[in-house]
Amino acid sequence: MPARRTVIFAGGELSELFLRELDDEDFIIGADKGALFLVAHGVIPDIAVGDFDSITQEEFRRIEEQCPKVIACDPVDKDLTDSELALDLALKQQPEDILLFGVTGTRLDQTLASIQMMTRVLQRQISCSIMDLNNYVTITGSQALVQERGYTYVSLLPVTPEVTGITLEGFQYPLTDATLKLGQSLGISNRLVAPTGTVTILSGLLLIIQSKD
């Protein structure tokens, strides 16, 4: 039976706090340095994948010794980032939900690529989220529940040129049948006024970013 949730730890910014988000039933994938992070903290990923060019040979042997499945790729010949290799493996698990850690950081190109990857997951009708110490990012093409997670702001950013029929419930600044176009900042820095808010749209793809300073 497929795991309900697949969790990816990639090689970007990681924290021990993320380990608290794990459940015993999660299928866990470590991508490159993310696999080493997991092993170093006593969590054995179901799969370790990547070119492993950011770790030493000794660290790679440690991963090989502890992980039940290791997929190593040539760093020159591979076409995908380690995060996308991990995402492809996650999709094969046919989960209900995919949660990604370590896919944001100082590399803006890598961060944007990871956010754009979420559209692939949504096309499979699988829920997808990215979490770091300052942000929790989800994407929707229909309706999403936004839970209070300790973040200050909730911002809405269109992924497609236009997102129509945006209706917000449980927010400080409600919207009804609104339209957001790519490049507009109307959806920035809203706040929840209830434990759970609802975002509903009619067309397009919308990023929902919970964040704090």
Side-chain angles (χ1 to χ4, degrees), residues 55-85:
I55 63 176
T56 66
Q57 290 186 347
E58 182 178 347
E59 289 170 334
F60 178 64
R61 283 195 295 271
R62 183 178 178 186
I63 292 172
E64 282 189 308
E65 289 171 357
Q66 298 197 42
C67 296
K69 185 174 183 179
V70 178
I71 302 174
C73 309
D74 188 291
V76 176
D77 292 336
K78 75 182 180 84
D79 296 323
L80 306 180
T81 64
D82 294 325
S83 297
E84 190 167 5
L85 289 171

Side-chain angles (χ1 to χ4, degrees), residues 122-143:
L122 193 63
Q123 290 171 358
R124 302 282 192 95
Q125 298 182 331
I126 298 171
S127 174
C128 185
S129 305
I130 292 174
M131 184 176 181
D132 62 27
L133 290 175
N134 294 295
N135 305 279
Y136 187 87
V137 185
T138 58
I139 186 170
T140 186
S142 54
Q143 187 178 81

Side-chain angles (χ1 to χ4, degrees), residues 139-157:
I139 186 170
T140 186
S142 54
Q143 187 178 81
L145 297 179
V146 182
Q147 298 178 345
E148 169 56 54
R149 299 177 182 274
Y151 298 100
T152 308
Y153 306 107
V154 182
S155 295
L156 309 177
L157 290 173

Side-chain angles (χ1 to χ4, degrees), residues 81 83 100 103-104 109-118 130:
T81 64
S83 297
L100 299 100
V103 296
T104 62
D109 54 346
Q110 298 274 15
T111 298
L112 289 174
S114 298
I115 291 173
Q116 290 178 355
M117 285 193 314
M118 299 174 73
I130 292 174

